[in-house]
Amino acid sequence: MGRIYDDKMANNERTPLITTVAVAPPRQRYSHNVTRRFCTVALGSTMVAVMIFFIIPMALLPVHHRHRRPHDHPSVPIPGGRSAISFDELKTILLETPKEEKAQEWSKYYTSGPHLAGQNYSQVVWTQEKWEEFGVKATVAAYDTYINYPLGHRLAMYDGTKLKFEASLEEDVLEEDPTTGLTNRVPTFHGYSASGNVTAPFVYVNYGTYQDYEDLIAKNISLKGKIAIARYGGIFRGLKIKRAQELGAVGCILYSDPGDDGKATEENGVELYPEGIARNPSSVQRGSTQFLSVAPGDPTTPGYPSLPGVPREPVEGAIPSIPSIPISYVDALPILKALNGIGPSAKDLNKYWQRNTGLGYKGVEYNIGPSPDNIVLNLVNEQNYTTTPLWNVIGVINGTLADEVIVIGNHRDAWIAGGAGDPNSGSACLNEVVRSFGEALAKGWKPLRTLVFASWDGEEYGLIGSTEWVEQYIPWLAHANVAYVNVDVATTGPIFGASASPLMNKLLYEVAGQVQSPNQTVPGQTILDLWDKSISTMGSGSDFTAFQDFAGVPSIDLGFGPDDSAPHGAPVYHYHSNYDSYHWMNTYGDPGFHYHIAMTKIWSLYTAKLVEAPVIPLNATDYAIALKGYIANVEDKLDASIAGIYSENDQLEARARPMVIETKGSPSKLKHGFSKLHKAVARLTTASIAHDAWAADLAAQAGDNIPWWRWFSKLRLIYNIRKVNSKYKYIERQFLYKEGLDGRSWFKHVVFAPGLWTGYAGAVFPGLVESIDDKDFGNALKWVDIIEDCLVKARKSLE
Ligand SMILES: *[C@@H]1O[C@H](CO)[C@@H](O)[C@H](O)[C@H]1NC(C)=O
Ligand SMILES: *[C@@H]1O[C@H](CO)[C@@H](O)[C@H](O)[C@H]1NC(C)=O
Ligand SMILES: *[C@@H]1O[C@H](CO)[C@@H](O)[C@H](O)[C@H]1NC(C)=O
Ligand SMILES: *[C@@H]1O[C@H](CO)[C@@H](O)[C@H](O)[C@H]1NC(C)=O
Ligand SMILES: *[C@@H]1O[C@H](CO)[C@@H](O)[C@H](O)[C@H]1NC(C)=O
Ligand SMILES: *[C@@H]1O[C@H](CO)[C@@H](O)[C@H](O)[C@H]1NC(C)=O
Ligand SMILES: *[C@@H]1O[C@H](CO)[C@@H](O)[C@H](O)[C@H]1NC(C)=O
Ligand SMILES: [Zn+2]
């Protein structure tokens, strides 16, 4: 029988009163300010204009007489009174405040009970109260979102009417790891999966990529009326189910194959968690199955906030219609073995079916099936769909300049009671960041720019809390938001990694060189010293998506990951499993929490520079250089497509999507069109170099001490810094295309988007690249024109 979980859900907290509080300055306030500013100027009432343009921004200039190197930051703010502390003092506070014991305390708190999206209001109140205690005003932003909670599930195998196997669908309770045994622990299930009760023969579909399914079709194996069993990996889980559904499958099972765990496997003699670093065989990866490469956020309110009473759209096409469940490899074994010798085996198929077949040592032959008509699975998935509040906690420190805002955030919700890696390593760091800035406030710090802290809810189901918030405050953010800094999983190991808009790269290299690594094998080495210095492009998979891809706010995502180079591999991170727990983190992931603190320092310092540097520390040249590289890559791809020659990597990537034979439009005409892009990016590069040089010059002047009697130079400098900063603020916005990408209009950015067929991985120039993949060269030419327009707009915005 299926386990029914309503008893476990019954004691979930629900607040009777929903605090929907406007957080950061809501829309009317800023527009009032702006209107007032412009009206005043227009009326020639110089008093207010002088206030806004000069007196308030006087904070941009230094106070004390002190010799500075040009790129040092001067002592900060004035307006209602200058900051009592200098940037160097602020930096010292930010580097000295965070403590391992505190991060452990916060981590332990968040991971001691379930906190699925919308299900733990006491963590909301706790977070808000902590931030207030640290000296930062915080409110709760609530959204009514359409979401599912697990009621029951079952997976059993029958031979005719005879029960052959009943899957446990449970992760083992481990004595060493207390949160694995909570009576109210979260069942194994998929976010946004469909309810259903199906009984059918089954088929093994490998990773469930588009081409895996095509290989089955080529072998005349139909999924119609069958249950698909796929392994995790390669592409976003929702897309595996999407294709199975399109091919007529009635259900889908996803399991974690240890073959994808690298060197740390039982087969290689590595001990299993909790004794060792290999995957615990009963671990299950929960997760969302929303089709999120089409649109993140509440699926019933695409593009607008889920406030009470708003119209709701149907969810068809945004989430699966067939039931699915995630299972462990222990539960998968009897099912996979039942297929041994039936239908083609992985060996009869191409090499993509022979990768990481990690259960061979357990007797699995990886045959495809389908199972004979009498060998069937009964898959039951019962989900409670409901529209229920989610809660973001939003902390604000008002700066002197109300129209320049830095937002930093991390999500709080997890699939499990634990979540010590995802996301609460980030939450522990965020609390230490807030505490550090609170410490600075207590010592008289007055920020130059406004700083907003966000503890997002509902990230796991589909980036819901952050997406709804951005959709609500888009007019304000579009006007005032300078940058967004995200940390999701702060650490699961010692290897530093980042993805970012290239505007933000330079500052990361600078800051990483100012934070000591916890690894002091070589004394004094910094995070920068141990980092391969690669920064990936923005894809999706965390809360920066709405900022970067919808609002055009330059964003960065930071985190430490596993060190796979170790002889037995890295400790396997039990993603979305009960074993992503405090015990795992403190034993294997980050013993002693030193990398939590390193992340806290990087995050704080990076944020402080964005908030305090008189000249916003973005770099336009780096963006132009990156764009030039992306264009070259796309052109290589076009050449390869024309020549029909593909690299190993291209071929692996192509496994995720349909192969198109028929060509539309002319590839040579498109090739010709690229000259427009080269020209536009060259001119953007020139403008960017000039802009950055001007900015560097102003930064140097801001570091000099201009005597009071040269007041005109002072005013001119302030005026110019305001101007250059305003240009920096709006560069990223120039890459928004208001119609959005083809078939997924929510995504507005022409340079960055999640891969349509992979879900997580970043795609550059998605509109153009997808058209080339589709061999639709006419549509690609349309995208060349759209991109050229953006490049021209960006250049003009800088000139
Ligand atoms: C909410 O979280 C706290 C702290 O992690 C935990 O103690 C409590 O059990 C959770 N409440 C519910 C209803 O899950
Ligand atoms: C920030 O400033 C606005 C006015 O611009 C004010 O309404 C708000 O209360 C202030 N917030 C904090 C946290 O001080
Ligand atoms: C699923 O359907 C079967 C056959 O219709 C039925 O016997 C069984 O009770 C159902 N299971 C659940 C959990 O509803
Ligand atoms: C494919 O399978 C169908 C039914 O399963 C069968 O009727 C057909 O003959 C098969 N075709 C080939 C080429 O094997
Ligand atoms: C489903 O969720 C709603 C709203 O949270 C709740 O009122 C209801 O009791 C739940 N239904 C079941 C069967 O648990
Ligand atoms: C620690 O630092 C040493 C010296 O730089 C380096 O060789 C080693 O790989 C580092 N270890 C980790 C886990 O980063
Ligand atoms: C911006 O980046 C370019 C290229 O990396 C570099 O030459 C220049 O010095 C940078 N400017 C600033 C102000 O960081
Ligand atoms: Zn996460």
Side-chain angles (χ1 to χ4, degrees):
M1 273 309 296
R3 263 166 291 268
I4 303 299
Y5 283 99
D6 23 3
D7 54 331
K8 294 183 181 171
M9 306 296 290
N11 58 359
N12 276 316
E13 296 162 66
R14 236 329 101 63
T15 41
L17 86 161
I18 312 303
T19 29
T20 317
V21 187
V23 272
R27 182 216 293 237
Q28 62 276 33
R29 190 180 313 134
Y30 92 75
S31 46
H32 173 74
N33 255 345
V34 172
T35 319
R36 183 184 61 188
R37 181 200 297 173
F38 286 114
C39 290
T40 319
V41 173
L43 288 170
S45 165
T46 43
M47 220 19 241
V48 174
V50 164
M51 267 300 287
I52 288 167
F53 283 115
F54 299 111
I55 306 296
I56 292 175
M58 280 299 267
L60 288 162
L61 298 189
V63 199
H64 308 296
H65 272 273
R66 191 136 56 85
H67 184 70
R68 276 167 226 283
R69 278 170 295 122
H71 286 279
D72 277 5
H73 297 301
S75 316
V76 263
I78 320 178
R82 289 163 192 266
S83 180
I85 65 173
S86 69
F87 186 82
D88 286 342
E89 287 162 323
L90 173 64
K91 181 173 163 184
T92 303
I93 294 168
L94 299 178
L95 294 181
E96 286 179 356
T97 303
K99 291 283 174 298
E100 277 83 353
E101 307 75 63
K102 290 282 182 186
Q104 285 172 320
E105 187 184 336
W106 315 144
S107 170
K108 209 164 220 167
Y109 170 76
Y110 284 118
T111 63
S112 64
H115 45 299
L116 273 179
Q119 295 253 304
N120 196 319
Y121 191 71
S122 64
Q123 292 203 0
V124 178
V125 173
W126 183 90
T127 304
Q128 182 186 12
E129 284 176 352
K130 277 281 171 247
W131 291 6
E132 298 252 343
E133 190 185 307
F134 299 151
V136 172
K137 284 248 170 310
T139 53
V140 176
Y143 299 94
D144 277 355
T145 57
Y146 181 71
I147 210 164
N148 66 309
Y149 298 117
L151 294 174
H153 55 191
R154 181 193 194 209
L155 181 66
M157 187 163 57
Y158 286 89
D159 179 352
T161 54
K162 192 163 156 267
L163 178 67
K164 299 275 286 180
F165 168 64
E166 179 84 45
S168 86
L169 305 182
E170 273 275 10
E171 303 188 80
D172 291 348
V173 173
L174 309 176
E175 216 176 292
E176 298 86 336
D177 189 343
T179 55
T180 62
L182 294 177
T183 52
N184 60 345
R185 63 187 179 272
V186 182
T188 53
F189 78 110
H190 277 148
Y192 289 118
S193 64
S195 294
N197 173 1
V198 293
T199 300
F202 49 99
V203 180
Y204 171 69
V205 300
N206 201 24
Y207 289 94
T209 65
Y210 197 95
Q211 290 303 325
D212 286 334
Y213 289 116
E214 289 299 293
D215 292 338
L216 297 181
I217 294 168
K219 290 270 177 199
N220 198 25
I221 292 169
S222 168
L223 275 180
K224 211 164 172 51
K226 307 282 196 303
I227 292 171
I229 175 162
R231 55 195 289 164
Y232 271 115
I235 60 170
F236 181 66
R237 67 182 84 67
L239 298 172
K240 299 169 191 254
I241 298 165
K242 182 168 190 275
R243 190 62 188 151
Q245 165 185 322
E246 286 163 3
L247 294 173
V250 294
C252 196
I253 300 162
L254 303 183
Y255 82 99
S256 307
D257 195 304
D260 291 308
D261 289 339
K263 289 177 277 185
T265 61
E266 184 183 42
E267 196 184 2
N268 289 345
V270 178
E271 286 213 87
L272 304 170
Y273 181 74
E275 284 76 29
I277 62 171
R279 171 181 301 280
N280 182 293
S282 73
S283 71
V284 177
Q285 182 193 132
R286 294 157 188 78
S288 178
T289 59
Q290 192 194 36
F291 302 155
L292 74 87
S293 51
V294 176
D298 182 338
T300 67
T301 63
Y304 57 95
S306 292
L307 296 169
V310 297
R312 303 273 165 174
E313 290 177 21
V315 294
E316 282 74 47
I319 63 177
S321 59
I322 60 170
S324 70
I325 52 168
I327 65 171
S328 67
Y329 76 79
V330 164
D331 275 346
L333 277 172
I335 298 168
L336 294 171
K337 281 195 206 169
L339 293 176
N340 281 353
I342 302 175
S345 102
K347 291 194 272 304
D348 306 325
L349 284 118
N350 57 50
K351 61 182 177 191
Y352 301 105
W353 289 74
Q354 293 150 30
R355 301 168 69 225
N356 308 336
T357 47
L359 289 171
Y361 80 109
K362 293 276 192 192
V364 174
E365 289 166 18
Y366 293 92
N367 283 75
I368 281 125
S371 64
D373 286 349
N374 58 312
I375 307 289
V376 293
L377 289 175
N378 173 226
L379 163 58
V380 180
N381 185 41
E382 290 175 45
Q383 297 295 327
N384 184 10
Y385 272 91
T386 174
T387 298
T388 193
L390 302 189
W391 308 281
N392 300 328
V393 179
I394 306 288
V396 180
I397 307 177
N398 277 331
T400 303
L401 304 175
D403 63 349
E404 291 179 5
V405 176
I406 311 298
V407 183
I408 78 170
N410 154 264
H411 72 95
R412 187 182 61 252
D413 65 302
W415 285 117
I416 52 234
D422 180 10
N424 301 120
S425 56
S427 319
C429 294
L430 182 55
N431 279 0
E432 281 303 87
V433 170
V434 175
R435 197 168 69 81
S436 304
F437 280 108
E439 205 58 33
L441 287 174
K443 296 198 168 126
W445 175 56
K446 293 225 171 71
L448 180 60
R449 303 192 172 87
T450 291
L451 175 53
V452 176
F453 303 98
S455 166
W456 308 118
D457 200 354
E459 187 269 359
E460 292 291 0
Y461 280 78
L463 320 177
I464 299 179
S466 57
T467 300
E468 300 309 315
W469 190 81
V470 169
E471 287 173 349
Q472 180 175 10
Y473 291 101
I474 185 76
W476 173 61
L477 295 171
H479 167 68
N481 196 178
V482 173
Y484 174 68
V485 188
N486 192 66
V487 174
D488 187 326
V489 181
T491 170
T492 58
I495 304 298
F496 186 66
S499 57
S501 160
L503 285 170
M504 303 183 75
N505 292 359
K506 198 62 99 232
L507 183 59
L508 186 57
Y509 296 124
E510 183 189 327
V511 167
Q514 295 177 10
V515 177
Q516 297 281 298
S517 169
N519 173 352
Q520 289 296 309
T521 309
V522 173
Q525 65 186 348
T526 64
I527 304 296
L528 183 71
D529 294 328
L530 285 164
W531 174 28
D532 70 4
K533 297 172 190 64
S534 68
I535 299 179
S536 17
T537 57
M538 296 309 265
S540 185
S542 196
D543 294 304
F544 53 79
T545 307
F547 289 89
Q548 180 74 48
D549 299 346
F550 183 75
V553 173
S555 300
I556 186 166
D557 185 45
L558 307 172
F560 287 98
D563 179 13
D564 299 315
S565 71
H568 284 286
V572 169
Y573 174 56
H574 296 83
Y575 176 60
H576 293 174
S577 144
N578 283 347
Y579 311 125
D580 178 7
S581 59
Y582 185 84
H583 178 76
W584 180 87
M585 182 59 78
N586 208 24
T587 312
Y588 297 111
D590 184 17
F593 276 54
H594 306 299
Y595 284 90
H596 279 74
I597 296 308
M599 178 52 68
T600 302
K601 291 175 183 172
I602 294 195
W603 199 1
S604 287
L605 199 52
Y606 194 94
T607 303
K609 297 261 181 176
L610 284 171
V611 169
E612 289 301 336
V615 175
I616 295 174
L618 298 180
N619 187 305
T621 308
D622 283 343
Y623 207 167
I625 292 170
L627 288 167
K628 187 172 179 223
Y630 303 155
I631 291 169
N633 288 347
V634 178
E635 201 170 5
D636 288 349
K637 195 180 170 84
L638 173 64
D639 292 342
S641 164
I642 293 171
I645 302 163
Y646 301 99
S647 71
E648 254 323 272
N649 210 38
D650 287 346
Q651 287 176 41
L652 187 60
E653 197 196 290
R655 298 282 302 168
R657 58 173 193 267
M659 200 158 79
V660 178
I661 314 283
E662 196 200 338
T663 299
K664 286 193 212 140
S666 147
S668 55
K669 212 163 150 191
L670 174 60
K671 175 88 182 147
H672 194 67
F674 268 78
S675 62
K676 291 197 274 191
L677 297 183
H678 293 309
K679 208 161 100 193
V681 86
R683 297 182 69 185
L684 173 61
T685 308
T686 309
S688 298
I689 291 170
H691 177 76
D692 286 344
W694 184 35
D697 182 42
L698 294 176
Q701 288 180 48
D704 296 339
N705 235 310
I706 304 169
W708 65 267
W709 40 267
R710 290 183 57 203
W711 58 271
F712 183 74
S713 303
K714 250 184 181 166
L715 292 190
R716 195 179 50 193
L717 178 58
I718 290 165
Y719 176 80
N720 283 331
I721 290 177
R722 289 287 280 165
K723 208 161 131 186
V724 95
N725 282 348
S726 164
K727 286 170 187 284
Y728 273 131
K729 187 168 72 176
Y730 294 129
I731 299 173
E732 194 76 63
R733 313 276 200 278
Q734 312 306 319
F735 294 97
L736 297 179
Y737 173 58
K738 72 173 188 313
E739 318 294 327
L741 299 179
D742 297 325
R744 42 175 182 158
S745 60
W746 185 90
F747 287 96
K748 306 292 184 196
H749 206 289
V750 307
V751 186
F752 302 114
L756 182 57
W757 297 101
T758 56
Y760 290 130
V764 292
F765 294 126
L768 178 56
V769 167
E770 281 156 23
S771 304
I772 294 174
D773 288 340
D774 287 348
K775 296 200 165 63
D776 188 344
F777 300 110
N779 199 56
L781 212 46
K782 174 190 102 177
W783 278 102
V784 165
D785 288 340
I786 293 167
I787 293 164
E788 186 196 13
D789 276 353
C790 292
L791 293 169
V792 169
K793 267 195 301 165
R795 169 175 58 80
K796 287 189 174 154
S797 80
L798 292 180
E799 281 173 357

